[in-house]
Amino acid sequence: MRVAAPIANFRATLRATTTVLALIGLAGCLDLKTVPDACTVSVAPATLTIPVNGSSAIVGTAFDCSGNSIRNKKISYSSSNTSVATVTTEGNVIAVAVGSAMISAVANDKTASVPVTVTPEAAATVTITPSTLTLRRTNTRDLSATARNSQNLIITGRTFRWSSSNSSVVAVDQNGRVTALAAGNVVVTAESDQTVGSASIIVTEIPIGSCSLSPASSKVTVTQSVQPTLVLRDTANNVIPTQGRPIVWTSSNEIVATVSSSGLATTRRAGTATITASPQENAQVTCATSIVAVDPRIVQTVIQQRTGSLRIGIPRGFTAVLLDSTNTQVPAGRITNWSTNTPTVINVTQAGIVTGLTLGTARVIATAEGVADTVTLSVTNVPVASVVVSPLQITMQEGQTRQLSVVVTDSTGREVTDRPIEWITGDPTKATVSATGLVSAIAAGNVSVGATSEGRVGQSSVIIQQTPADTIVVAGTFSVARGSNSAFAITLLDSRGNILRNRNVVVTSDTPGVAVGTANAQSTLVSVSGFAAGTATFTLQVVNNNNQNEGKASRVVVTVPASPAAPRTPPDAP
């Protein structure tokens, strides 16, 4: 093992030496070759954007006329504007000032260029001066901001975006001027290139030196309220805002008047009370106003509901307001009496509930401590809401009658029977209706019959069918002269013996050469025409609209006498 290790090291050294000699020989051979001229040159990247004092490398490449890159080709670099950007012999571009420049790569007079844009230098830190500040409310102060680069050098010409963490306490404009608005602590920041600097600001209140309340005294009726006006002044006697200054309000006699946290004093009974205000931050500063409360006297009674009408049977509540000499509402506890001078038209309770009894005009009177008010009202019916006719549909035969009924409901849902009702028919040629709703069927068909009240309408659909014919009443025999026309009467009856008209009656003659007949449209006559001497039997049959026989047929024997013989001439008398 001790002999093998040196041998192995020797072999490794020999291989390494051989490799180095081979590379040296190859390099010598390459140096002997001639570098071709460049046909074109390219540069990468195509564009550059660098901040001031920043740098970035570009790479120029030369190509022969076959488009192959040329190794070891010398590339020269230059800048079109060295005041904006410079470039080293190795292609390292250095930004000098904000602006634009062209960096060129040249080989054998072949050139390629890259546009370079130099932007402002990015801020590494932002500081605000002063960094801490204490202001009194309403004061202003200008802050300044400074941006520095990564080498801690000041960057000039920068614009900062200013903001406040609580603009209701401290406001800041875009020039760095801060205004103290309310007591509190705030952080104000200035930002550039997403780098932020901050300053801590403390706002204190303006000290209160004195206060005053106006009016100095007030005289009001019991239950009225007074809101004194508070004025605060600083130690220099300047008026300062009260907003944000807690004030302690007290009353010297809460039986007479109480005071709220906002200074609203409300009287409770007759007497005198002093209302005092004291700033919480300086209890030694106080101011006061005197309030005298007196009992109110009623000088006016006003019924609130001045217009409108009453519906019969529907109660309506009325209220009255009592006013004192200052036109202020008198507090509750006074008695108001309600009455009317038309008790037959309306009823009035002592609670002011008024109910209409009959149609007409009535007066409501409210009286308190001898002071009265009155309102005149009209009493009307509750309007009709619906009219319903029943039954909604009926089927009748000609000549029949049918009674319809009607229900009228007012807007309260109550059935009323005192409203005028008018009955109407859609087609009086088919059916009529009486003033009480009795429908009489006249002719077959459909007709609408309705009832109306106060503009509301209810309807019933009436279907009228023809009454079937039962018999045809006619004389058993009839004669007509040959060659002449005549007629005989017929009567159509239903099964109850009622006369029917306007039916289709078909007349058939068994010997039409002797005589034929035709019934008229009213079904009251049959016209007969005689043609030859003899007898013919007429069959009379009612046919309905479906061309079906209806009822029983009747027969009439018609005789056509022969023409009378010419009178003979008597023989000559002797």
Side-chain angles (χ1 to χ4, degrees), residues 300-347:
Q300 187 177 7
T301 299
V302 181
I303 297 176
Q304 295 295 88
Q305 296 76 14
R306 311 299 300 181
T307 60
S309 60
L310 293 174
R311 304 293 191 185
I312 291 179
I314 299 180
R316 180 181 174 189
F318 283 75
T319 56
V321 172
L322 309 179
L323 303 177
D324 62 17
S325 58
T326 63
N327 205 37
T328 302
Q329 184 173 339
V330 175
R334 307 296 180 92
I335 297 175
T336 301
N337 294 311
W338 294 89
S339 61
T340 178
N341 61 352
T342 50
T344 60
V345 180
I346 61 173
N347 177 65

Side-chain angles (χ1 to χ4, degrees), residues 285-298:
V285 175
T286 61
C287 45
T289 180
S290 176
I291 296 179
V292 178
V294 296
D295 283 327
R297 180 177 62 85
I298 298 172

Side-chain angles (χ1 to χ4, degrees), residues 352-404:
I353 306 300
V354 182
T355 305
L357 303 177
T358 60
L359 298 178
T361 301
R363 293 174 61 194
V364 177
I365 304 170
T367 305
E369 298 179 8
V371 180
D373 188 23
T374 181
V375 171
T376 301
L377 301 170
S378 296
V379 181
T380 62
N381 277 321
V382 178
V384 171
S386 66
V387 176
V388 178
V389 175
S390 59
L392 294 177
Q393 180 175 306
I394 58 174
T395 301
M396 304 173 61
Q397 291 183 350
E398 293 173 329
Q400 287 185 329
T401 60
R402 182 74 175 272
Q403 181 66 50
L404 297 179

Side-chain angles (χ1 to χ4, degrees), residues 72-96:
N72 301 325
K73 188 65 176 178
K74 178 64 176 176
I75 304 295
S76 298
Y77 297 99
S78 62
S79 171
S80 65
N81 190 349
T82 55
S83 63
V84 173
T86 62
V87 60
T88 66
T89 56
E90 291 80 14
N92 189 30
V93 180
I94 299 171
V96 177

Side-chain angles (χ1 to χ4, degrees), residues 515-528:
V516 296
T518 304
N520 66 354
Q522 290 76 31
S523 308
T524 56
L525 291 174
V526 174
S527 297
V528 181

